[in-house]
């Protein structure tokens, strides 16, 4: 089955750019995520981490 896919891809001009673009998108996404994690304020992370617990307490009061 891989022969059929490989044969079709070889017939397409410029198909070698797609793996490069995919790698760049992957790399940029994780660099941006890494940057966001290290620049986010600790207070915001603590607030967001408590949200599931706060919602459970509100639902029990209803």
């Amino acid at each position: 089955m891989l022969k059929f896919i490989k044969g079709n891809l070889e017939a397409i001009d410029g198909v070698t750019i797609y793996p490069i673009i995919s790698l760049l998108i992957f790399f940029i996404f994780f660099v941006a995520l890494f940057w966001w994690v290290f620049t986010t304020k600790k207070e915001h992370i603590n607030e967001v981490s408590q949200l599931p617990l706060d919602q459970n307490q509100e639902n029990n009061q209803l």
Side-chain angles (χ1 to χ4, degrees):
M1 181 165 174
L2 187 60
K3 294 177 190 177
F4 298 116
I5 295 171
K6 187 176 178 183
N8 287 335
L9 289 176
E10 287 175 348
I12 300 172
D13 291 331
V15 76
T16 57
I17 193 72
Y18 293 115
I20 296 169
I21 292 171
S22 298
L23 180 65
L24 285 174
I25 291 171
F26 177 81
F27 183 74
I28 290 169
F29 173 77
F30 280 102
V31 166
L33 187 64
F34 185 77
W35 174 77
W36 178 79
V37 165
F38 282 103
T39 58
T40 304
K41 294 181 181 177
K42 192 170 184 175
E43 295 84 23
H44 177 70
I45 293 173
N46 288 334
E47 178 184 339
V48 172
S49 69
Q50 294 298 320
L51 283 177
L53 300 174
D54 292 341
Q55 288 178 350
N56 287 337
Q57 290 175 356
E58 289 176 9
N59 288 338
N60 289 337
Q61 293 175 354
L62 295 176

